[in-house]
Amino acid sequence: MSTQPSIENISTILVIGAGTMGRQIAMTAALAGYSTIIQDISEDGLEAARTELEEWAAGRVGKGKLEQSAATSALAALSYSTDLDTAAAHADYIIEAATERLDIKTAIFEKLGVLAPAHAILATNSSTLGSSKVAQVTGRPAQVCNMHFFNPALVMKCVEVVRHESTSDATVEITMELARRLGKEPVLINREIPGFIANRLMGAIQKEALYLADAGIASIDDIDTTARTALGHPMGPFALMDMVGLDVIDFIAQATYAETGLEEDAPNPGIAALVAEGKLGRKTGAGFYNYN
Ligand SMILES: NC(=O)c1ccc[n+]([C@@H]2O[C@H](COP(=O)([O-])OP(=O)(O)OC[C@H]3O[C@@H](n4cnc5c(N)ncnc54)[C@H](O)[C@@H]3O)[C@@H](O)[C@H]2O)c1
């Protein structure tokens, strides 16, 4: 096989991390016909992913949204492994979706640089870490970029492809085309910026919503109602933050603030207070709203 990356050379995709994102990215790839390996350090995590994906596929078939044959083929195209060495050696395209910690990702990318075939592109699904942070340790920085899916990855159409300073045009083109072949609508971000596009847009709306509420200008409920009834958003900013998880919102704000140092990016104290009280949004039954 050629040592040059090429879309036609991609038959096996490796997804590293079987968590919320990794398992659904892997199923998306399997449904698109790719032989897909999910690798995780946790056997339990892999088992949970397998169970969830089998149940998801059965549910879709039951509702008539997926052919039984397509579900069977996709599940058969998936394999599960704790062995990164073997998995990486067989991969043509790698999407890392492991825990959001730079030390973990750096160690993974360092290994991939050695283990993956020379033609393989190494992408990270990270929401807050630009791929430049892990590119050099691979020894092939031109073949490294962010390929950022949205939660739930089986449903959401957007994929943000983010290039760093030395990402090659070929890496960008192949990643954009791969996203299309996975049934997504990729967008390109020409240089790294915290929050990429979607989280920056969402952040700007959230910031204004928090200002209006904190200043007592309107209630949370009325701000959310306005976003829905005047702007056509499917849900208001407070309901959305509760759905994403206030801990996640706070984490993203902290990471952005650490990177930019701009006062306007400082984490919101009201959100930090809710997080400290254990009110993380829907997943804990309370956040800006009560769900009990
Ligand atoms: N959750 C979201 O809404 C969302 C959306 C877009 C992008 N992301 C990004 O996706 C990545 C994963 O997020 P998540 O929410 O799926 O996390 P998660 O905590 O649900 O899953 C992370 C998985 O990584 C595994 N892991 C940890 N260290 C590993 C290693 N060395 N090798 C292999 N696997 C390892 C863990 O066992 C776990 O199963 C993060 O970079 C995050 O920024 C998350």
Side-chain angles (χ1 to χ4, degrees):
M1 191 180 278
S2 153
T3 55
Q4 292 304 310
S6 142
I7 189 74
E8 305 309 335
N9 277 351
I10 301 174
S11 60
T12 299
I13 293 178
L14 164 62
V15 179
I16 299 175
T20 309
M21 294 303 293
R23 61 184 66 171
Q24 294 215 2
I25 294 169
M27 187 65 176
T28 303
L31 284 165
Y34 289 98
S35 165
T36 307
I37 310 166
I38 311 183
Q39 187 273 342
D40 201 293
I41 46 171
S42 157
E43 290 273 7
D44 290 348
L46 289 170
E47 218 27 65
R50 186 200 299 270
T51 305
E52 186 185 292
L53 293 178
E54 285 173 0
E55 285 173 4
W56 177 87
R60 298 289 289 174
V61 170
K63 285 185 194 150
K65 307 242 171 172
L66 184 67
E67 294 286 336
Q68 179 62 60
S69 58
T72 306
S73 314
L75 292 172
L78 285 173
S79 57
Y80 299 80
S81 175
T82 53
D83 176 7
L84 180 63
D85 296 32
T86 310
H90 288 95
D92 304 306
Y93 196 105
I94 300 179
I95 304 169
E96 173 276 318
T99 306
E100 187 72 344
R101 272 182 36 198
L102 183 58
D103 57 336
I104 291 177
K105 292 185 191 282
T106 304
I108 291 171
F109 277 82
E110 200 165 2
K111 276 192 173 176
L112 294 178
V114 178
L115 299 167
H119 66 269
I121 289 173
L122 317 176
T124 175
N125 181 50
S126 177
S127 301
T128 63
L129 300 165
S131 68
S132 61
K133 294 214 159 62
V134 293
Q136 295 306 327
V137 298
T138 65
R140 58 178 99 176
Q143 283 164 239
V144 177
C145 66
N146 287 72
M147 186 181 194
H148 184 229
F149 291 79
F150 288 80
N151 186 16
L154 278 159
V155 177
M156 301 297 276
K157 285 277 177 206
C158 187
V159 170
E160 293 177 325
V161 177
V162 191
R163 67 189 307 167
H164 66 84
E165 254 179 9
S166 34
T167 306
S168 70
D169 291 343
T171 296
V172 168
E173 281 154 25
I174 292 166
T175 303
M176 299 283 286
E177 179 56 21
L178 177 63
R180 285 183 206 104
R181 292 187 185 194
L182 299 187
K184 302 301 184 192
E185 283 184 38
V187 293
L188 176 60
I189 290 136
N190 289 312
R191 61 168 196 272
E192 291 182 350
I193 183 165
F196 310 147
I197 299 174
N199 284 337
R200 289 186 78 82
L201 292 177
M202 193 171 79
I205 293 170
Q206 285 165 0
K207 209 175 289 173
E208 187 59 28
L210 286 160
Y211 164 73
L212 291 171
D214 288 347
I217 289 164
S219 69
I220 284 172
D221 231 352
D222 280 353
I223 295 166
D224 272 359
T225 301
T226 309
R228 284 187 282 104
T229 57
L231 304 179
H233 292 188
M235 67 175 80
F238 292 100
L240 181 60
M241 285 189 272
D242 271 357
M243 194 180 81
V244 171
L246 300 184
D247 52 337
V248 176
I249 300 286
D250 190 48
F251 178 82
I252 292 173
Q254 284 183 37
T256 305
Y257 187 47
E259 190 142 342
T260 68
L262 297 172
E263 255 341 281
E264 67 202 52
D265 291 331
N268 179 272
I271 293 182
L274 286 169
V275 171
E277 280 178 61
K279 293 183 174 169
L280 308 183
R282 274 199 206 175
K283 62 188 167 191
T284 57
F288 287 111
Y289 294 98
N290 272 316
Y291 297 90
N292 294 323

